[in-house]
Amino acid sequence: VARMFGPTIIVANRPSWSGAGLPADAPSGPEALEKAGLDWEVGMTPAYADIDGQKIDTGKMATYRKDTGKVLGVVGSEFQVLQNVEAMEAISDVFAEHNIKYETAGSFNDGQQIWMLARHPEPTSVAGDEVNRYVLVFNAHNGSRSARLLPTGVRVVCQNTLRMALSATDDIRIRHTKNMRERLAEAQRALARADSIFMTWQSTAERLARIQPPDERVVRVVNNVLDFALGELVDAAADGD
């Protein structure tokens, strides 16, 4: 987990399951960026290929961190950068209105992908179990994904939990194109309706919780999961991981 992180991650309220991250007491947006090492900007420059000693223009652009010069990715010439501070400012008003506090924030691969997670003050409940409600802000500076804003029940503290949260379909996607900032304004309005999305999720989860599958089906599912996990471990051992 740790080697995938950027300079650091921050966690509020309780540690991450892996123990990674610096403790932070529900920081504000600017504090979250600073403490998570996300207070830097992204620049763009033409990408060239060195072919037999000749510098050839590829027609692509390279994104890079202005503070370190680290190249983050190669993107198309129409790519528009969504700065970390822009992503934070876009949702700050909505967060303040609903008293939503930042919970975790961090980056992967030196800033190629970044996320900020905030927690709603009022959890929901499914079959008597309390479930926290979060809002995830995700952005990819390497061109691999659109920026995304989504309500989730997953507390993101590592790449696996980020992948789990991003598997949801009830999200707002913002492509890095010239109309990106108009879509960002739409996202602000849509976030205000996050409560209705959580209510729909809660209703579905309650229905699933009431389903009692036969014992033999439970055993079959568990065996399939264990067989898959064992196969993954064997493959990893064979690869020397």
Side-chain angles (χ1 to χ4, degrees):
V1 174
R3 69 175 180 270
M4 297 300 295
F5 290 141
T8 187
I9 68 167
I10 58 168
V11 291
N13 298 307
R14 67 183 191 279
S16 64
W17 64 267
S18 65
L22 298 177
D25 185 17
S28 65
E31 289 173 326
L33 289 181
E34 180 182 0
K35 291 182 179 180
L38 300 178
D39 54 341
W40 39 266
E41 291 190 340
V42 175
M44 293 180 63
T45 188
Y48 294 92
D50 187 342
I51 301 177
D52 296 329
Q54 290 189 320
K55 190 177 180 181
I56 307 298
D57 188 347
T58 64
K60 301 285 188 179
M61 302 291 287
T63 56
Y64 67 95
R65 286 180 54 162
K66 289 185 177 181
D67 61 336
T68 64
K70 174 75 175 181
V71 173
L72 301 174
V74 176
V75 298
S77 59
E78 301 298 317
F79 185 89
Q80 297 289 311
V81 172
L82 176 63
Q83 302 290 357
N84 298 340
V85 68
E86 286 184 291
M88 179 271 297
E89 289 176 346
I91 40 88
S92 289
D93 290 345
V94 176
F95 281 13
E97 181 180 349
H98 293 273
N99 198 29
I100 298 174
K101 303 292 186 182
Y102 284 94
E103 179 88 0
T104 71
S107 65
F108 295 109
N109 296 323
D110 296 317
Q112 292 182 19
Q113 298 181 345
I114 69 102
W115 90 90
M116 292 175 282
L117 184 80
R119 182 168 58 90
H120 196 285
E122 298 177 3
T124 188
S125 177
V126 175
D129 290 336
E130 184 177 282
V131 180
N132 283 322
R133 298 189 288 169
Y134 301 103
V135 176
L136 174 66
V137 182
F138 169 83
N139 192 20
H141 294 303
N142 60 0
S144 61
R145 292 172 178 259
S146 298
R148 296 177 64 180
L149 290 86
L150 63 149
T152 179
V154 180
R155 187 172 188 256
V156 177
V157 294
C158 65
Q159 196 169 46
N160 287 336
T161 48
L162 177 63
R163 187 180 298 115
M164 187 183 304
L166 292 177
S167 67
T169 55
D170 290 327
D171 65 342
I172 306 155
R173 304 191 182 201
I174 303 168
R175 298 180 61 192
H176 294 83
T177 57
K178 61 182 180 181
N179 67 340
M180 175 182 67
R181 284 163 183 83
E182 287 81 359
R183 281 287 292 152
L184 208 54
E186 293 176 21
Q188 288 177 290
R189 295 189 289 271
L191 269 182
R193 302 193 301 271
D195 282 350
S196 64
I197 295 175
F198 274 115
M199 289 177 64
T200 301
W201 175 87
Q202 182 182 13
S203 176
T204 302
E206 288 282 3
R207 288 199 304 272
L208 291 173
R210 288 194 293 269
I211 297 174
Q212 296 296 324
D215 290 345
E216 59 270 18
R217 182 176 297 178
V218 174
V219 171
R220 186 164 64 248
V221 170
V222 171
N223 285 337
N224 287 340
V225 170
L226 290 177
D227 287 344
F228 175 79
L230 180 60
E232 291 286 295
L233 288 173
V234 170
D235 291 342
D239 292 338
D241 291 346

